[in-house]
Amino acid sequence: MALRRRKTPMPELPTDIPGYGPLLPHRATRKGGARRSKLLPDFDAAIAACDLRDGATVSFHHHLRNGDGVLNMVMEALARRGLRDLHIAASSIFPVHAPLIDHIRNGTVSRISTAFMSGPVGEAISRGVLPTPVTLQTHGGRARALDLRELPVDVAFVAAPAADDMGNLSGSTGPTACGTLGYPMVDVGVARHTVAVTDTLMPYPVPAIDIPQTCVTHVVQVAHIGDAAGIASGTTRPANDPLSLSIADTAAQVIAASGLLQEGISFQTGAGGASLATAAAVGREMAARGVTGSFCSGGITGFHVQMLNDGLFRGLLDVQCFDLEAVRSYRDDPRHQSMSAATYAGPHVGGAVVDRVDAVVLGAAEVDLNFNVNVTTRAGGIIIGGSGGHADTAAGSRLAVVTTRLTAAGFAKLVPQVGTLTTPGATIDVVVTEAGLAVNPARPDLAERLISAGLRVRDMADLVAEAALAGTRPTPPRALGRIVAVCEYRDGNVTDVVRVAPSET
Amino acid sequence: MALRRRKTPMPELPTDIPGYGPLLPHRATRKGGARRSKLLPDFDAAIAACDLRDGATVSFHHHLRNGDGVLNMVMEALARRGLRDLHIAASSIFPVHAPLIDHIRNGTVSRISTAFMSGPVGEAISRGVLPTPVTLQTHGGRARALDLRELPVDVAFVAAPAADDMGNLSGSTGPTACGTLGYPMVDVGVARHTVAVTDTLMPYPVPAIDIPQTCVTHVVQVAHIGDAAGIASGTTRPANDPLSLSIADTAAQVIAASGLLQEGISFQTGAGGASLATAAAVGREMAARGVTGSFCSGGITGFHVQMLNDGLFRGLLDVQCFDLEAVRSYRDDPRHQSMSAATYAGPHVGGAVVDRVDAVVLGAAEVDLNFNVNVTTRAGGIIIGGSGGHADTAAGSRLAVVTTRLTAAGFAKLVPQVGTLTTPGATIDVVVTEAGLAVNPARPDLAERLISAGLRVRDMADLVAEAALAGTRPTPPRALGRIVAVCEYRDGNVTDVVRVAPSET
């Protein structure tokens, strides 16, 4: 008798336990039931599975940079399904994304939020193609807006160089390897759905997981997610023309004289040739002094990798690989670590990596008397970029150095007032030009150090005046028409707006 | 004139922009302001900074296993400050945590939630020392309760083998390296505050970051977080006595005959000697057939590392290193990857790693006629463990094999009804003993395969009867007194309760 199977295989339980509360008894269920694959046949299936509707927000990341194929593929699929009024929340938009313009014209897309926008889309938006103003964020501000649900995302699309059918994603594997996946790491944590798009479906589990399966809802396989050659778009080599080298040399002297060039210095530069030339000059000074730095952060290039391998720094904190040498290094060198956009630059995380950067070298389209920087528009008001991490690193670093020539294309780059205010002057410490440098009046200590070191410290007004003389074309006045872009600071407050560009610019 | 600094360095902005909405203009602020260090001098400072009060929930993890010093240190500090009625949410509790008993007696602690509890604390709770029932969770159920805020945590304390002063944490660095930090990865994502406790404060940033700084609020340095030698507590070597080897051999034959022993097989075992002996036997069969598996998951031992290095598997997915060989492998071998408890076993993540495990080999204190398994109490009702990942892997895997002897310490281990129901029989496929095996009647297909392979498939009732005959001591009846523990299934429903143990057991 005792050995017969009981009718109720579960013990009888009270309905409420003192000190524990009410309970639901477990009921015998069948084994399994959880999905063993997240693979869907195509975008249409993914769009249906995500219940994507008119007005939804879809997010993208830019680790494939100008080689990205995913944004265009997804938008084509969404347009084909007749979706309308979509909001594109892309970490950056590149020239390769020109097809977006037609999606805007057709009404598929009516809103855009991004931290950087170059090429035809920026130009078209400057001319007024988008019915609403584009929201230009900083990299850290975007992470904040996502994490705090100010920017709710319906579907995050992740270009995954490799994925398995449960959605573990790797950035450093496959023919279109792009390295770290620092930007979508934020999106996938908050999006209602995440669709990974991959051309390299690997057996479970993928090696070198960058984003774990718990963050991914669906996986779609395509022939090619993009063109790896497009990852290294823009300069990622130090400039070597005499004028750039002279500015770089001065900037390095500024850092050396600032007192920060000590054991453990942390350093960030953009990927532009002038910034990298400064990094090279700083590296030479570090080697000469026998100083080993702690880390380089931000977007990482082969040049930074070389500095790591030369022993100038102990590690790299990488939110985005700027070229294929960086991709290889991230894959092979454990000292080369990834970080999310929130960890990199979030103003909401109680201390981000940018807050530990000693010196950052930044570029500028324009700088003004108040040290405000414009990296958003060129003279005439056409959108050519946006903050990216510019405003974040300026705010976080101990020393933010802007390097710039006095003029470009005949326009003065040092101006009474910037055409668009991207990065507030309160966060910029020094501006270095070929005609000398200016120190923010808020940093008299620094000015003193630089003067003591024999550097040619000038008044910003004098540099602006000299730039005006050197310029051959007058700075166009600010436009007055409809607002086409809103420039948000990292905290979501607004630093400036961009107005529709007059047709002649 | 134009070159004088303007009084308002910011552009004038509208208060509301069509298509964007109302806005706050950025106001010039001073540079910096974010914390550049999270280091606090001691626990008292951390407790104050976290505003820890009576009744709070404090969480801990068990990667240092029986070598953990952090839970005791923190509890001592909390008790010293006179805090009362605290709720301990620990991923597991080990013999080393015996001082908890005094904290319970003194009223510092009045609630405990954990997935596993061995040693004096389990014994004392079984005797009724805790005024409320302990909540026994599964590893996946704990992750679910945390992620869904059913178990809100005020402060997560993380034993960090290495940390920097911004709270980047590494498990694989330092003298008390423990490898992956899979359990606290969940806690730190939801806790109101996270305090990292480290004996190895490294220059920023730590190499090999397991938990990024964004998840950590404070860092406290102590002399020793624990004793690395205690990490390898319990057996982590295959058993080699004839009876264990015979059971292991049968279990391996079951897996071989099940049809799952194919290219890409995924596999999990516990760290017990019998389970590892089964893994060894499976490994020999894989080698003989020329089959390469995909991954081993769960807690990882040096034995699993050896299987990886022998080429039997492509990778390891590790939530917890069970010994120092696993710690070394995690540090040095990129094929050995970490996963969070949610990724490992969460029932709430839309498919966890356990849902991709083909075959799992599990232990048992008791198994009953309905294939229900008890790994929570020993005969007499004293708490000796809990599910850990037992119920999670049984539910997720294609084939859950329980290996057990007929008797232990004179008690039958195969019984009419388990003393405590940890893992529902519906999720157990096969029970293997030295007297043959039984197949769950819900799996007639499997029974057929095993019979065809010549295995000795018996009725569970016969095995239970044989165990009863082999036992020399009668199974004590279920206790009837106050409930001292509530056993939650991975979904939070209750499988069973444990009642206060009679004094003679």
Side-chain angles (χ1 to χ4, degrees):
Chain A
M1 278 300 286
L3 297 193
R4 236 169 328 152
R5 217 155 266 123
R6 293 157 63 230
K7 274 179 203 141
T8 46
M10 296 296 166
E12 269 150 51
L13 297 171
T15 54
D16 191 285
I17 298 173
Y20 177 86
L23 62 87
L24 285 176
H26 171 73
R27 297 184 179 285
T29 49
R30 298 182 73 83
K31 188 177 163 89
R35 282 192 303 166
R36 288 181 68 101
S37 172
K38 297 178 179 173
L39 196 61
L40 292 176
D42 53 29
F43 285 122
D44 277 341
I47 294 164
C50 295
D51 193 25
L52 249 180
R53 302 188 182 198
D54 291 355
T57 299
V58 288
S59 88
F60 300 92
H61 66 104
H62 67 287
H63 291 89
L64 295 174
R65 298 172 58 78
N66 207 38
D68 176 50
V70 167
L71 188 149
N72 290 343
M73 270 188 277
V74 169
M75 291 315 301
E76 198 184 307
L78 292 169
R80 213 169 40 231
R81 284 179 72 93
L83 285 158
R84 312 275 304 167
D85 281 331
L86 297 175
H87 175 192
I88 308 265
S91 52
S92 293
I93 290 172
F94 279 86
V96 72
H97 299 127
L100 253 186
I101 297 167
D102 275 340
H103 296 305
I104 294 169
R105 289 208 177 102
N106 296 333
T108 304
V109 172
S110 64
R111 283 181 68 201
I112 296 179
S113 301
T114 189
F116 184 89
M117 181 179 268
S118 67
V121 179
E123 171 115 16
I125 285 171
S126 306
R127 305 284 181 202
V129 72
L130 191 68
T132 61
V134 64
T135 301
L136 292 174
Q137 306 165 304
T138 74
H139 282 325
R142 182 177 188 272
R144 177 197 52 72
L146 288 168
D147 276 344
L148 304 188
R149 273 53 168 192
E150 290 175 18
L151 174 57
V153 172
D154 291 293
V155 184
F157 289 92
V158 180
D164 61 44
D165 65 349
M166 283 302 281
N168 292 296
L169 312 183
S170 175
S172 55
T173 314
T176 325
C178 63
T180 83
L181 296 174
Y183 293 107
M185 283 169 80
V186 181
D187 301 46
V188 303
V190 297
R192 202 161 54 77
H193 296 272
T194 294
V195 176
V197 183
T198 191
D199 52 17
T200 305
L201 196 67
M202 298 186 75
Y204 183 94
V206 293
I209 296 167
D210 285 291
I211 290 177
Q213 66 188 66
T214 40
C215 298
V216 175
T217 339
H218 306 291
V219 179
V220 174
Q221 188 176 15
V222 298
H224 301 289
I225 60 169
D227 173 13
I231 292 172
S233 46
T235 316
T236 63
R237 286 284 146 204
N240 57 10
D241 61 287
L243 208 146
S244 296
L245 288 177
S246 145
I247 294 173
D249 192 55
T250 307
Q253 289 178 54
V254 166
I255 293 168
S258 73
L260 293 171
L261 205 137
Q262 297 180 358
E263 191 68 17
I265 183 177
S266 54
F267 189 55
Q268 179 163 344
T269 70
S275 293
L276 293 182
T278 307
V282 170
R284 282 190 298 273
E285 185 64 24
M286 290 170 67
R289 297 193 185 188
V291 159
T292 304
S294 51
F295 68 94
C296 285
S297 58
I300 297 295
T301 69
F303 180 76
H304 296 96
V305 170
Q306 192 55 52
M307 292 179 86
L308 176 69
N309 291 336
D310 289 346
L312 291 173
F313 289 92
R314 281 190 282 105
L316 303 175
L317 292 176
D318 188 349
V319 68
Q320 174 191 190
C321 296
F322 274 137
D323 58 29
L324 298 179
E325 283 167 67
V327 172
R328 274 189 291 273
S329 165
Y330 174 63
R331 184 190 63 200
D332 296 333
D333 189 341
R335 298 174 302 172
H336 186 159
Q337 298 193 75
S338 75
M339 60 180 168
S340 76
T343 303
Y344 165 42
H348 62 301
V349 299
V353 169
V354 293
D355 298 309
R356 285 296 289 252
V357 169
D358 288 326
V360 64
V361 179
L362 296 165
E366 292 177 329
V367 190
D368 72 19
L369 278 177
N370 291 294
F371 291 74
N372 294 320
V373 179
N374 169 19
V375 288
T376 302
T377 52
R378 62 170 159 83
I382 299 294
I383 297 168
I384 51 158
S387 169
H390 198 285
D392 299 307
T393 50
S397 61
R398 287 187 200 268
L399 177 68
V401 179
V402 168
T403 62
T404 179
R405 300 176 182 212
L406 290 180
T407 64
F411 293 106
K413 297 189 71 180
L414 278 70
V415 291
Q417 188 190 1
V418 284
T420 307
L421 199 168
T422 315
T423 298
T427 62
I428 300 294
D429 300 290
V430 181
V431 176
V432 177
T433 74
E434 70 273 32
L437 59 95
V439 179
N440 193 318
R443 296 290 312 272
D445 57 316
L446 181 62
E448 205 170 297
R449 279 175 177 270
L450 303 193
I451 290 165
S452 300
L455 285 161
R456 190 180 173 207
V457 177
R458 301 183 62 188
D459 195 90
M460 181 59 107
D462 294 340
L463 289 176
V464 171
E466 188 165 334
L469 287 173
T472 54
R473 304 161 75 182
T475 303
R478 281 191 165 227
L480 298 169
R482 181 167 69 84
I483 293 171
V484 296
V486 178
C487 306
E488 290 187 352
Y489 194 55
R490 49 204 310 247
D491 60 6
N493 291 346
V494 173
T495 57
D496 209 344
V497 295
V498 180
R499 293 174 186 271
V500 67
S503 52
E504 73 275 13
T505 58
Chain B
M1 277 301 287
L3 297 191
R4 236 167 331 150
R5 216 154 269 121
R6 292 158 61 232
K7 277 182 201 138
T8 47
M10 298 294 167
E12 269 149 52
L13 297 170
T15 55
D16 191 285
I17 298 172
Y20 177 85
L23 62 86
L24 286 175
H26 171 73
R27 294 184 182 285
T29 49
R30 298 183 74 82
K31 186 176 164 91
R35 281 195 303 166
R36 288 180 69 101
S37 172
K38 296 177 180 175
L39 196 61
L40 292 176
D42 52 30
F43 285 122
D44 278 339
I47 294 165
C50 295
D51 193 25
L52 250 179
R53 300 186 184 202
D54 292 353
T57 299
V58 288
S59 88
F60 299 92
H61 66 103
H62 68 287
H63 291 89
L64 295 174
R65 299 172 58 78
N66 207 39
D68 176 50
V70 169
L71 188 147
N72 291 343
M73 268 188 278
V74 170
M75 292 314 301
E76 198 184 305
L78 292 169
R80 210 168 42 229
R81 283 178 72 93
L83 285 158
R84 312 273 307 165
D85 281 332
L86 297 175
H87 175 191
I88 308 264
S91 54
S92 293
I93 290 171
F94 279 86
V96 73
H97 299 127
L100 253 186
I101 298 167
D102 276 339
H103 296 306
I104 294 169
R105 288 207 178 103
N106 296 333
T108 305
V109 172
S110 64
R111 285 180 69 199
I112 297 178
S113 300
T114 189
F116 185 89
M117 180 179 269
S118 66
V121 180
E123 171 115 16
I125 285 172
S126 305
R127 305 286 181 200
V129 73
L130 192 69
T132 61
V134 64
T135 301
L136 293 173
Q137 306 166 302
T138 74
H139 282 324
R142 182 176 188 273
R144 176 197 51 72
L146 288 168
D147 276 345
L148 304 188
R149 273 52 167 194
E150 291 175 16
L151 173 57
V153 172
D154 292 292
V155 183
F157 288 93
V158 180
D164 60 44
D165 66 350
M166 281 302 280
N168 291 296
L169 312 184
S170 174
S172 55
T173 313
T176 325
C178 64
T180 83
L181 296 174
Y183 293 107
M185 283 169 81
V186 181
D187 301 46
V188 303
V190 298
R192 201 160 56 78
H193 295 273
T194 293
V195 176
V197 184
T198 191
D199 52 17
T200 305
L201 196 66
M202 298 185 75
Y204 183 93
V206 294
I209 296 167
D210 286 291
I211 290 177
Q213 65 189 67
T214 40
C215 299
V216 175
T217 340
H218 306 291
V219 179
V220 174
Q221 187 175 16
V222 297
H224 301 289
I225 60 169
D227 173 12
I231 292 172
S233 46
T235 318
T236 63
R237 286 283 147 203
N240 56 12
D241 61 288
L243 208 145
S244 296
L245 287 177
S246 145
I247 294 173
D249 192 55
T250 307
Q253 288 178 54
V254 166
I255 293 167
S258 73
L260 293 171
L261 205 139
Q262 296 179 358
E263 191 69 17
I265 183 177
S266 55
F267 189 55
Q268 180 163 343
T269 70
S275 292
L276 292 182
T278 306
V282 170
R284 285 191 296 274
E285 185 66 23
M286 290 170 68
R289 295 192 186 189
V291 159
T292 304
S294 51
F295 69 93
C296 286
S297 58
I300 296 295
T301 70
F303 182 77
H304 296 97
V305 170
Q306 194 54 53
M307 292 179 86
L308 176 69
N309 291 336
D310 289 345
L312 290 173
F313 289 92
R314 279 190 283 106
L316 302 175
L317 291 176
D318 189 349
V319 69
Q320 174 190 190
C321 297
F322 274 137
D323 58 29
L324 298 179
E325 283 168 65
V327 173
R328 274 189 290 275
S329 164
Y330 174 62
R331 185 190 62 200
D332 296 333
D333 189 340
R335 298 173 303 172
H336 185 159
Q337 297 194 76
S338 76
M339 60 179 168
S340 77
T343 304
Y344 166 43
H348 61 302
V349 298
V353 169
V354 294
D355 299 309
R356 286 295 290 251
V357 169
D358 288 327
V360 64
V361 180
L362 296 164
E366 293 177 330
V367 190
D368 74 17
L369 278 176
N370 291 293
F371 290 75
N372 294 320
V373 179
N374 169 19
V375 288
T376 303
T377 52
R378 62 171 161 80
I382 300 294
I383 297 167
I384 50 157
S387 169
H390 199 283
D392 299 308
T393 50
S397 61
R398 287 187 200 268
L399 176 69
V401 179
V402 169
T403 62
T404 179
R405 299 177 183 212
L406 290 180
T407 65
F411 294 106
K413 297 188 69 178
L414 279 70
V415 291
Q417 188 190 3
V418 284
T420 307
L421 198 168
T422 316
T423 298
T427 62
I428 301 295
D429 300 290
V430 182
V431 175
V432 177
T433 75
E434 69 272 32
L437 61 95
V439 179
N440 192 319
R443 296 290 312 271
D445 56 318
L446 181 63
E448 205 171 295
R449 278 174 178 271
L450 303 193
I451 290 165
S452 301
L455 285 161
R456 190 180 173 207
V457 177
R458 301 181 63 187
D459 194 273
M460 181 58 107
D462 294 340
L463 289 175
V464 171
E466 191 166 332
L469 287 173
T472 55
R473 302 160 77 181
T475 303
R478 279 192 165 228
L480 299 169
R482 181 167 70 84
I483 292 171
V484 296
V486 178
C487 306
E488 289 188 351
Y489 193 56
R490 50 206 307 249
D491 59 5
N493 292 344
V494 173
T495 57
D496 209 344
V497 295
V498 181
R499 290 172 187 272
V500 67
S503 53
E504 72 275 11
T505 57

